Amino acid sequence: MKTSTQAEFKPNFRYLRLADEIENKIMEGVYKAGEKLSSIRKLHDQTGFSITTVYQAYIELEKRGVVEPREKSGYYVKPLLRQILTSPEMKKPLAVPRKVTIDSMAYSIVEAMSDPAMLQLGGTSVVPDLLPYKQLFRPVKTISNSNLKDIITKYENPAGNYQLRRQLAKRSLGYIQNSTVDEIVITNGCIEAVSLCLQAVANTGDTIVVESPTYPWFLQIIEDLNMFALEVATDPISGIELESLRKALEKNDVRACIFVPNFHNPLGYVMPESKKIELVNLLNNRNIPVIEDDIHGDLHFGKTRPVPLKAFDKKGLVLYCSSFSKTLSPGLRVGWAMPGVFLEKVKRFKLNSSIASPTMNQFIISEFLKNGHYDRHLRRLRTALKNQVRNMALAIARYFPKNTKITAPEGGLILWVQLDEKLDGVEIYEEARKRKIAIMPGFLCSGSKSYKNFIRISCGNPWSEEIEEGIITLAKIINGLL
Amino acid sequence: MKTSTQAEFKPNFRYLRLADEIENKIMEGVYKAGEKLSSIRKLHDQTGFSITTVYQAYIELEKRGVVEPREKSGYYVKPLLRQILTSPEMKKPLAVPRKVTIDSMAYSIVEAMSDPAMLQLGGTSVVPDLLPYKQLFRPVKTISNSNLKDIITKYENPAGNYQLRRQLAKRSLGYIQNSTVDEIVITNGCIEAVSLCLQAVANTGDTIVVESPTYPWFLQIIEDLNMFALEVATDPISGIELESLRKALEKNDVRACIFVPNFHNPLGYVMPESKKIELVNLLNNRNIPVIEDDIHGDLHFGKTRPVPLKAFDKKGLVLYCSSFSKTLSPGLRVGWAMPGVFLEKVKRFKLNSSIASPTMNQFIISEFLKNGHYDRHLRRLRTALKNQVRNMALAIARYFPKNTKITAPEGGLILWVQLDEKLDGVEIYEEARKRKIAIMPGFLCSGSKSYKNFIRISCGNPWSEEIEEGIITLAKIINGLL
């Protein structure tokens, strides 16, 4: 990854540099899972760093979920996510545009996935205690009357609050070089951004390429707009298969694509940078717009934030979409789009469909960014999610049948689990629901009803005995159905 | 109007009853414009009410904008809106469904109508000082941490906050008898409600009946959804012409209607109750859904709130839409739909297009309603708007050319002004814009570009010398162009 595109700058503490160095060596395979690391004293002798610095580095690595202490024995390397289980196999979908019809079951699954009475392994929300809701709210408590008057009694600019757009333009500097305040349109969450962008680039009857599997919501938007979804094969490590995409573009009149190149939902991969460049060039050359959902982009487990496709776009054909629903607040509904050459159309659709997003919510996020709280918060959140995802994967490896396969996400909070071919994710979903556990059956991630024997497990909750119990219950259900 | 449908119950003070009685007599024409009312002492002798009561009644009538005091002479009846100028003539539009194409000018007009640097006679916002922004905000300042946590860290129910829906169901009791919490879907303002409802009842290529003239936003939504608008002739006093509608329905395959029966925008009329019943029966019999925009329904100048079409719907085919953008806050973006039998479809479109509306905003409105502030606020707001509309109409009558015609709205804040046939509203708009005055040219209210010599004037601002200057400037522009 290019350092020029690094989004985050850490303070230059020695223990952090040491921790980075050790983590890199673990990632490169220099230290293997289960291996004991040098003792503190030995590393002190070896490196010249003080005892305190070495100790702090190990504590930091423990926080990052990379090493674990064993009593009276020292620090050991934890298994890397990638080594826990093999990756799922992806289906090669038939390259035929499909009229999507999500059955009525989808709505009841969505309800289950947001039911607080259930153990949530279904919805992709982060647990409330990991979100800085009191800090977010602080500027509201001390708001001036004149500010309040503006916020309540006026329509916001249809493109969004200027201060918030300025903060967003500043933030994206690290990874989208040409972003400007004027190209940003604030939306009610990422979904509205994607929906407005899709309306801007395509019409009824048009064919839209999506990854297979894909985020179910995209299929529902495509269905609502009476378009066709064309699913293209995806590699679980590197993302959409360019050769399959090329063929699909040759055989079909494709109007646009919707891709999630960073921490794909449900696969969790980051598309390698060289592949991103190749993908954007391929689509730029054919003048095909691509809607990029980067909602999990800030939730990287590695050191640097991956760059989006948008960074390599030469023609303004990448419509970038994101939101703060996974990182700060789902309830505030603040997302945004950077729609490239489709800016005016997206602004128009936003204006016509709801005039503008509410001002208060944009003010809250804008102040949080302005006060510099976001990066600090993200560091804490990323470490928590990394641990949650790893612990969930370990538990699945431990309790599920031996032929289970699982993704190794490099960010985000989702695991994609492949089960025995005889199994049906919907049956597992229904049995789990009876026991107050919400999961997502994999078939929702495709209009072709592939992925019957897949389930999606989300890891928004801190690891707990209750979750372990939930995984054990799921394992029992699976074994019972086999 | 039936008393059973009265939405507002006033305290039973004697002076108010006396004021009501006098106002009724003025409305009925018992007292004419300019006529002197009985002196306080004489009315005291005549009615047996105390001097104080009679005095309070006259003050109340003055507040309501019905009478005016003249120094050392007593109280005089002010001219009724309906008597100021004759009503505009309506065009009989060609009964052909039209592909709407609002030109790019529309966006710049919308920008001018929300530009705070201009004298706003264009946008239909109420001036900030008439909105209770501090009172709205009070519950936010004292919010509990656990409440805050829910508001910030969770997705709201896609149908909307339960407490707010409960308040809305309670409020609509007076004028929509069968409203239930479960039929309500909270939206980002009335426009989103109308847009979601239209998507629920019609598809690309379908024909939608609208009033002529109509609210420009409806035409834009119809255009965005690639539907056709069929404009039907409207009487400026009683609303859509049923005979023209019947013919239009016979000749065309009409999929749905969008109507504003209460305080029509731009015409300001209330459709009489008997006509509402006839209209709903006509559409019910043909199974044609009607989207009803009731956004100005609470802003009646008369004593009772007019009932909506929804009250007479027997088949669940009226999709009721409204919002608090004109009465409490445009910036909070809280509206709602009661979509009858289309409920599940509207909920689905809401879910898929933005998951849910933000919780914070719904909480603010819900608390305001719960604490009983809304009716008190509305009384003050209605009186202010009534005065503003009357004063604007009087000024137009005084300064504009003699052949000007003008509507006599019974609520809301809009005047529709017909000018000499030689004039072009767009030219007036452009000249006015140069002088920092925003108005809306009438051509936007029709896809057929009728109403070339019409302009819409909105009365959201309290009467002031600045506004009078603005009207004088407009009159000069008009005389210059003649």
Side-chain angles (χ1 to χ4, degrees), chain B residues 118 427-439 474 477:
Chain B
M118 302 189 90
E427 283 182 50
I428 300 170
Y429 157 79
E430 277 166 356
E431 288 301 315
R433 188 175 188 168
K434 287 181 201 156
R435 292 165 177 82
K436 292 275 173 208
I437 302 170
I439 58 160
L474 282 180
I477 290 169

Side-chain angles (χ1 to χ4, degrees), chain B residues 88-283:
Chain B
E89 298 142 12
M90 292 300 106
K91 304 282 166 75
K92 290 256 179 194
L94 277 177
V96 199
R98 251 174 247 277
K99 197 87 172 59
V100 192
T101 44
I102 300 293
D103 47 52
S104 56
M105 218 190 116
Y107 200 94
S108 86
I109 294 174
V110 168
E111 276 186 334
M113 294 199 310
S114 60
D115 182 349
M118 302 189 90
L119 176 65
Q120 270 312 334
L121 311 178
T124 58
S125 289
V126 167
V127 73
D129 286 329
L130 286 175
L131 299 175
Y133 58 93
K134 287 183 204 164
Q135 210 175 8
L136 276 166
F137 194 63
R138 216 162 285 153
V140 177
K141 289 218 164 182
T142 56
I143 197 168
S144 71
N145 272 336
S146 84
N147 231 338
L148 181 64
K149 187 168 167 177
D150 282 351
I151 285 172
I152 301 267
T153 69
K154 291 179 181 162
Y155 287 102
E156 186 51 271
N157 183 320
N161 178 270
Y162 179 78
Q163 293 303 335
L164 175 58
R165 286 185 291 142
R166 209 169 65 90
Q167 292 300 328
L168 287 172
K170 273 168 74 177
R171 255 204 87 72
S172 52
L173 245 188
Y175 53 94
I176 308 174
Q177 285 73 11
N178 302 318
S179 61
T180 66
V181 174
D182 290 335
E183 198 202 328
I184 296 170
V185 181
I186 306 294
T187 57
N188 286 299
C190 191
I191 280 299
E192 193 190 45
V194 171
S195 172
L196 294 174
C197 286
L198 190 54
Q199 288 172 69
V201 298
N203 292 308
T204 301
D206 283 343
T207 295
I208 312 299
V209 163
V210 294
E211 292 134 337
S212 178
T214 187
Y215 181 43
W217 231 285
F218 299 155
L219 298 173
Q220 291 184 51
I221 296 175
I222 289 171
E223 183 187 355
D224 284 352
L225 296 173
N226 290 302
M227 299 173 185
F228 293 82
L230 175 57
E231 298 177 26
V232 171
T234 303
D235 176 84
I237 307 286
S238 71
I240 193 139
E241 286 183 5
L242 295 183
E243 209 35 60
S244 305
L245 178 61
R246 240 178 233 113
K247 278 185 201 146
L249 298 180
E250 270 159 30
K251 282 195 196 141
N252 300 277
D253 182 13
V254 170
R255 182 56 61 99
C257 307
I258 310 179
F259 292 149
V260 188
N262 294 333
F263 317 122
H264 181 265
N265 185 348
L267 293 174
Y269 61 73
V270 174
M271 189 179 279
E273 210 161 289
S274 58
K275 195 167 173 183
K276 281 177 181 157
I277 294 171
E278 206 183 333
L279 173 63
V280 173
N281 286 342
L282 172 68
L283 294 169

